[in-house]
């Protein structure tokens, strides 16, 4: 869905991309597509429904995927919280913050999120045969590490699926390590999300990262 944007002078801007959470729940891969659509057309992206994080693992998977993709693409994202999430702010502070929330506790959380957010706080970069991870989110230990070989493959596996494959010992061990270091979040019902987003391009100025 799209909405027209018109400037004060009457000139038309590219239409904004909008999406309902039900569309994402019906097809989780839709999150990647709508972010790519907004990014490729230099358009804003608006999530039309407030999101209650931490209440439904299926919703958490698609909502956090949307936030991760939009943050990585530096998309102008507009969204609201339905209430205060049950996780510490550090868990999500590296992702694009909400504009507001439906209640006072959520608004306080959203305000703190907006104040502490900075692009590039928790990222990974792909190299030839390796992944470089960096976590400099506030209120926790800073981490820089490299995963290569089977660990890089296991990381990619964990990124691509919200459930750890049974029988994949490397992926299971790596998930445990990511959970321990705060680089992944367990959501319930056997689901997880990997929290760092891919640093695809450097912002301007690059020293901001």
């Amino acid at each position: 869905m799209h909405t027209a944007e018109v400037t004060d002078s009457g000139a038309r801007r590219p239409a904004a991309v909008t999406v309902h959470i039900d569309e994402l729940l019906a097809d989780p891969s839709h999150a990647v597509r709508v972010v790519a659509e907004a990014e490729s057309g230099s358009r804003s992206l608006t999530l039309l429904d407030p999101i209650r994080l931490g209440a439904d693992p299926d919703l958490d998977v698609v909502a956090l995927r949307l936030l991760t993709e939009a943050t990585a693409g530096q998309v102008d994202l507009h969204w609201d919280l339905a209430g205060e999430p049950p996780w510490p702010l550090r868990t999500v502070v590296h992702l694009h913050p909400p504009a507001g929330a439906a209640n006072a506790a959520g608004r306080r959380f959203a305000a703190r999120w907006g104040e502490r957010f900075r692009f590039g706080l928790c990222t990974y970069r792909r190299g030839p045969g390796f992944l470089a991870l960096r976590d400099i989110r506030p209120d926790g230990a800073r981490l820089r590490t490299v995963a290569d070989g089977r660990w890089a493959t296991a990381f990619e596996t964990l990124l691509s699926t919200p459930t750890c494959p049974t029988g994949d010992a490397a992926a299971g061990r790596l998930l445990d390590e990511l959970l321990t270091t705060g680089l992944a979040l367990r959501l319930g019902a056997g689901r997880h999300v990997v929290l760092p987003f891919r640093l695809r391009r450097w912002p301007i100025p690059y020293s901001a990262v």
Side-chain angles (χ1 to χ4, degrees):
M1 181 177 177
H2 305 93
T3 58
E5 295 181 358
V6 182
T7 66
D8 293 339
S9 65
R12 293 179 65 84
R13 292 173 177 160
V17 179
T18 60
V19 64
H20 284 283
I21 193 61
D22 285 347
E23 298 174 63
L24 304 180
L25 286 169
D27 179 6
S29 65
H30 190 46
V32 177
R33 292 196 296 272
V34 295
V35 170
E37 182 182 354
E39 185 180 357
S40 64
S42 299
R43 291 176 286 186
S44 63
L45 172 60
T46 298
L47 188 55
L48 296 172
D49 315 286
I51 299 298
R52 184 173 299 280
L53 294 172
D56 178 354
D58 291 329
L59 175 59
D60 290 336
V61 167
V62 297
L64 292 171
R65 182 71 179 275
L66 179 76
L67 295 182
T68 299
E69 294 292 329
T71 305
Q74 300 180 57
V75 168
D76 181 19
L77 177 65
H78 303 273
W79 71 287
D80 291 307
L81 280 169
E84 182 178 6
W87 314 312
L89 176 60
R90 187 176 194 270
T91 305
V92 291
V93 72
H94 62 296
L95 301 176
H96 197 297
N103 59 35
R107 287 191 290 273
R108 288 192 295 270
F109 191 94
R112 290 171 50 227
W113 189 340
E115 290 166 0
R116 309 207 74 177
F117 169 76
R118 180 165 63 83
F119 183 81
L121 290 175
C122 188
T123 65
Y124 72 92
R125 290 185 297 113
R126 287 191 176 102
F130 72 90
L131 292 160
L133 291 92
R134 186 183 75 155
D135 183 8
I136 57 170
R137 289 172 295 173
D139 302 324
R142 297 193 168 200
L143 181 146
R144 296 174 189 266
T145 189
V146 172
D148 56 12
R150 63 173 180 155
W151 302 114
T153 301
F155 188 86
E156 296 283 4
T157 298
L158 295 173
L159 279 173
S160 64
T161 176
T163 55
C164 187
T166 58
D168 190 333
R173 179 177 168 186
L174 181 60
L175 178 58
D176 288 341
E177 293 183 8
L178 294 175
L179 291 167
T180 299
T181 55
L183 292 175
L185 179 65
R186 196 181 296 281
L187 298 172
R191 288 169 172 75
H192 69 268
V193 291
V194 175
L195 293 171
F197 65 83
R198 184 183 176 191
L199 189 60
R200 304 202 308 261
R201 62 176 183 266
W202 295 94
I204 303 298
Y206 73 88
S207 57
V209 175

